[in-house]
């Protein structure tokens, strides 16, 4: 112990202190740039729904920001991220459906609003009206995935190409530059290449196009590691309004879940949230919001006389399956009975149910209401005017079409144009403008069939008109 009091001892102690300080410094720096969490809280439920993080992971924010200007040729058209269908509110830093949060470095993430918000215009000159909770009709998940994975595969995805573009937008300190060039840019490239490989199965099936996504195959193949199969699961994004009145309904098009809290957790996990990082409180806020938020009223005039005539027609032909309180509303109607395309049902398997049931083991949350069904849910029709195109696969562009036999429904149309057609009740889905902006939907393609749901198709023309007028008011 004598050495401690000696000169050598003092030097050794000083050195040890310096090493410890340095280690502490390195530890602190690593924590600061990789793990430090800076909470972003949106007090307003609407802002939280649009921009609040659900811990979905995502890319380093500044890399995500500069990709469209660096790799515009990989986007479907001009306009940066709006070309894959993001809605961008004037003056906002990010599009609806994107969060920005800091976990060490700034990260971009996905929010529920990405697929559950839409715009409409009453005429081509109209300013778009944003409606939260509406089924997205422009956002194209596949185009977004294809853009990001093409960037990852591009040989120019290097620090030399990307850093200067970031620095034009945002000052990076020396340490941050090191972090980006040595860690974040190479890791992001790897992740984006992995994204392309993970979703390669998508390319051998018909495209979903805007407003639709491959629904649970990504979960089956990527989250659960179940073997690839050849099922097609392209579905329309559904609305999230007025959920308090949907209590007791089965959720998802085929009713594979019956508990809304579990559905919200499913949404987050599908959006990229890791099981050990599910933000229950943030999701509860989303759930509270979608319980209350109401669909907007039909924005054109309605003929009240016709509405009054249409109400009993609805009650006699539709209410058992579609009115609140109807005997079968919110329940699964066997596919043989409703007769619509069955691909979506065949995608969902008992093996996937079992995987969900195991997933929550050891966590505060759990899945105990997942099921395999053989039909589609008869949903309530609140806000139905804004939910076009109709049916689970979005195969019928107008309400007036749905009341015609399948042979007389529009066989080929364009999805994503947000100008409304009050005559046919749905978005303008034909003509040069719709064709220019839209995605060509061919009902002859596999899983795109517009067959079935023959209810109301044999009504006299005047009754159909009155019924449609009534449906506008729901
Ligand atoms: C990438 C797009 C996307 C994102 C992001 C997303 N959803 Fe969904 N959501 C869908 C689609 C598509 C369905 C229907 C899937 C099916 O049945 O095949 C759905 C279904 C639902 C349903 C059931 C609706 C009903 O009436 O049956 C709820 C509730 C829901 N999502 C809530 C959420 C919440 C909450 C989040 C965020 C935590 C979220 N979603 C994130 C696309 C998305
Ligand atoms: C026996 C039950 C039943 C009856 C009766 C019924 N429907 Fe449906 N309806 C369904 C089912 C099930 C679906 C979902 C089918 C699918 O998506 O493949 C559906 C879907 C719909 C949709 C599309 C919803 C959306 O979000 O895309 C509309 C609109 C609709 N029905 C209107 C009507 C009208 C109007 C009547 C009366 C003339 C009617 N239905 C009668 C069971 C029924």
């Amino acid at each position: 112990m004598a050495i401690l009091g000696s000169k050598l001892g003092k030097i050794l102690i000083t050195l040890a202190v310096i090493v410890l300080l340095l280690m502490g410094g390195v530890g602190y720096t690593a924590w600061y740039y990789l793990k430090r969490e800076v909470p972003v809280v949106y007090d307003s439920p609407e802002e939280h729904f649009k921009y609040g993080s659900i811990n979905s992971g995502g890319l380093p924010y500044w890399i995500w920001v500069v990709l469209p200007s660096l790799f515009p040729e990989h986007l479907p058209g001009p306009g940066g991220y709006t070309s894959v269908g993001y809605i961008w509110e004037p003056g906002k830093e990010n599009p609806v459906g994107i969060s920005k949060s800091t976990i060490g470095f700034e990260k971009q993430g996905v929010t529920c609003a990405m697929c559950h918000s839409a715009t409409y215009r009453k005429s081509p000159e109209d300013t778009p009206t944003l409606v939260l909770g509406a089924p997205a009709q422009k956002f194209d998940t596949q185009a977004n995935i294809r853009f990001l994975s093409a960037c990852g595969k591009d040989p120019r995805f290097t620090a030399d190409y990307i850093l200067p573009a970031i620095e034009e937008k945002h000052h990076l300190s020396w340490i941050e530059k090191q972090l980006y060039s040595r860690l974040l840019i190479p890791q992001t490239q790897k992740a984006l290449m992995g994204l392309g490989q993970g979703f390669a199965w998508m390319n051998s099936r018909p495209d979903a196009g805007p407003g639709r996504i491959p629904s649970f195959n990504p979960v089956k193949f990527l989250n659960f590691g179940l073997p690839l199969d050849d099922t097609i699961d392209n579905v329309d994004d559904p609305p999230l309004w007025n959920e308090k009145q949907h209590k007791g309904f089965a959720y998802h098009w085929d009713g594979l879940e019956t508990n809304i809290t579990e559905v919200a957790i499913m949404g987050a996990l599908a959006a990229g949230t890791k099981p050990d990082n599910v933000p229950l409180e943030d999701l509860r806020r989303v759930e509270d919001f979608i319980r209350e938020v109401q669909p907007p009223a039909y924005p054109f005039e309605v003929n009240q006389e016709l509405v009054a005539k249409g109400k009993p027609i609805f009650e006699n032909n539709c209410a058992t399956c579609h009115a609140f309180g109807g005997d079968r509303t919110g329940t699964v109607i066997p596919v043989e009975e409703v007769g619509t395309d069955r691909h979506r049902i065949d995608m969902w398997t008992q093996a996937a149910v079992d995987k969900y049931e195991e997933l929550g083991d050891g966590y505060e949350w759990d899945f105990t209401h997942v099921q395999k069904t053989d039909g589609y849910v008869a949903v309530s029709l609140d806000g139905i005017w804004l939910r076009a195109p109709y049916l689970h696969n979005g195969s019928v562009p107008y309400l007036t079409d749905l009341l015609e036999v399948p042979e007389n429904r529009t066989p080929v149309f364009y999805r994503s144009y947000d100008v409304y057609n009050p005559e046919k009740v749905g978005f303008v889905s034909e003509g040069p403008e719709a064709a220019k902006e839209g995605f060509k939907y061919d009902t002859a393609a596999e899983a795109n069939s517009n067959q079935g749901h023959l209810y109301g198709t044999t009504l006299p023309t005047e009754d159909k008109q009155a019924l449609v007028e009534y449906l506008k008011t729901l």
Side-chain angles (χ1 to χ4, degrees):
M1 293 309 276
I3 200 171
L4 277 183
S6 69
K7 205 166 174 192
L8 177 64
K10 280 187 188 148
I11 293 171
L12 282 179
I13 287 169
T14 313
L15 274 178
V17 169
I18 290 172
V19 167
L20 278 177
L21 278 176
L22 277 176
M23 278 167 57
V26 169
Y28 175 78
T29 310
W31 169 83
Y32 187 88
Y33 287 104
L34 296 173
K35 294 245 181 287
R36 166 187 54 116
E37 288 197 30
V38 185
V40 181
V41 179
Y42 293 97
D43 291 334
S44 124
E46 287 81 8
E47 295 298 294
H48 177 68
F49 181 72
K50 288 186 278 187
Y51 304 114
S53 168
I54 54 164
N55 294 359
S56 75
L59 303 185
Y61 179 74
W62 293 106
I63 299 182
W64 177 81
V65 165
V66 299
L67 290 180
S69 62
L70 293 177
F71 302 101
E73 62 278 29
H74 299 319
L75 282 166
Y81 280 117
T82 57
S83 76
V84 297
Y86 280 109
I87 302 167
W88 214 307
E89 293 184 282
K92 293 285 182 166
E93 186 182 17
N94 294 309
V96 172
I98 291 294
S99 66
K100 179 184 177 189
S101 55
T102 301
I103 303 155
F105 52 94
E106 287 161 305
K107 283 184 186 166
Q108 158 266 4
V110 162
T111 78
C112 316
M114 183 168 85
C115 307
H116 296 295
S117 309
T119 57
Y120 73 85
R121 285 179 290 161
K122 288 168 74 176
S123 68
E125 297 73 38
D126 199 9
T127 317
T129 301
L130 169 66
V131 184
L132 300 183
Q137 97 282 41
K138 268 189 187 301
F139 186 69
D140 187 337
T141 308
Q142 279 178 324
N144 189 43
I145 291 172
R146 286 184 176 136
F147 166 66
L148 295 173
S149 62
C151 293
K153 274 198 279 192
D154 196 304
R156 293 169 298 167
F157 202 103
T158 60
D160 284 348
Y161 189 51
I162 293 174
L163 265 187
I166 293 181
E167 285 194 284
E168 268 178 36
K169 302 236 169 226
H170 176 70
H171 172 73
L172 294 176
S173 67
W174 182 84
I175 294 188
E176 283 172 324
K177 272 189 233 167
Q178 303 308 309
L179 182 70
Y180 269 85
S181 57
R182 289 168 199 276
L183 192 71
L184 300 183
I185 292 174
Q187 277 196 351
T188 302
Q189 183 182 32
K190 233 166 105 186
L192 295 183
M193 289 171 92
L195 182 76
Q197 283 155 6
F199 278 91
W201 53 269
M202 213 167 64
N203 301 329
S204 58
R205 298 158 217 233
D207 279 353
R212 300 202 310 164
I213 62 168
S215 71
F216 281 88
N217 268 338
V219 175
K220 272 164 53 190
F221 304 151
L222 302 175
N223 300 40
F224 294 159
L226 289 168
L228 285 184
D229 55 39
D230 57 6
T231 57
I232 303 171
D233 61 337
N234 293 332
V235 292
D236 231 13
D237 293 318
L240 304 184
W241 295 310
N242 198 19
E243 293 294 346
K244 69 176 172 209
Q245 278 204 62
H246 294 206
K247 201 166 180 325
F249 282 21
Y251 294 99
H252 288 297
W253 291 107
D254 62 344
L256 65 78
E257 243 299 348
T258 55
N259 177 290
I260 183 91
T261 305
E262 292 184 16
V263 176
I265 297 171
M266 274 181 173
L269 294 170
T273 304
K274 297 273 178 289
D276 59 0
N277 200 17
V278 175
L280 292 175
E281 176 56 23
D282 292 325
L283 292 179
R284 194 192 52 74
R285 286 191 67 200
V286 171
E287 197 183 315
D288 289 347
F289 175 68
I290 63 178
R291 261 183 221 288
E292 296 302 327
V293 66
Q294 295 296 310
Y298 187 69
F300 301 90
E301 244 178 79
V302 285
N303 176 333
Q304 291 301 343
E305 229 171 275
L306 264 190
V307 171
K309 246 187 89 188
K311 192 165 189 272
I313 301 171
F314 179 79
E315 274 154 13
N316 292 334
N317 293 278
C318 325
T320 33
C321 289
H322 288 305
F324 287 115
D327 283 349
R328 305 180 79 187
T329 308
T331 70
V332 177
I333 309 296
V335 67
E336 287 79 32
E337 187 179 339
V338 64
T340 51
D341 189 284
R342 66 168 298 135
H343 284 81
R344 164 65 183 79
I345 297 169
D346 293 335
M347 171 276 301
W348 189 242
T349 59
Q350 185 58 41
V353 175
D354 298 343
K355 286 283 185 189
Y356 262 122
E357 283 172 353
E358 289 163 20
L359 197 62
D361 292 353
Y363 295 115
E364 246 181 282
W365 48 270
D366 205 0
F367 288 114
T368 57
H369 296 80
V370 193
Q371 57 183 356
K372 165 72 191 147
T373 76
D374 196 29
Y376 292 111
V377 180
V379 285
S380 56
L381 300 185
D382 23 359
I384 193 67
W385 70 271
L386 194 51
R387 286 156 52 178
Y390 299 100
L391 300 181
H392 73 276
N393 55 359
S395 55
V396 180
Y398 315 111
L399 267 186
T400 49
D401 259 14
L402 191 63
L403 295 178
E404 298 299 326
V405 288
E407 301 75 73
N408 295 338
R409 294 173 183 168
T410 313
V412 175
F413 59 95
Y414 294 88
R415 295 181 54 118
S416 118
Y417 190 49
D418 67 351
V419 174
Y420 206 76
N421 177 342
E423 277 76 46
K424 294 188 167 183
V425 192
F427 295 101
V428 173
S429 305
E430 293 148 293
E433 287 307 314
K436 198 172 102 209
E437 284 197 24
F439 164 86
K440 185 175 178 185
Y441 185 104
D442 188 346
T443 56
E446 217 183 343
N448 278 4
S449 151
N450 62 359
Q451 297 295 302
H453 197 284
L454 303 178
Y455 314 104
T457 54
T458 56
L459 288 169
T461 308
E462 314 82 74
D463 285 7
K464 285 182 185 173
Q465 279 168 353
L467 176 58
V468 166
E469 206 65 10
Y470 174 72
L471 293 175
K472 292 174 181 174
T473 66
L474 295 179

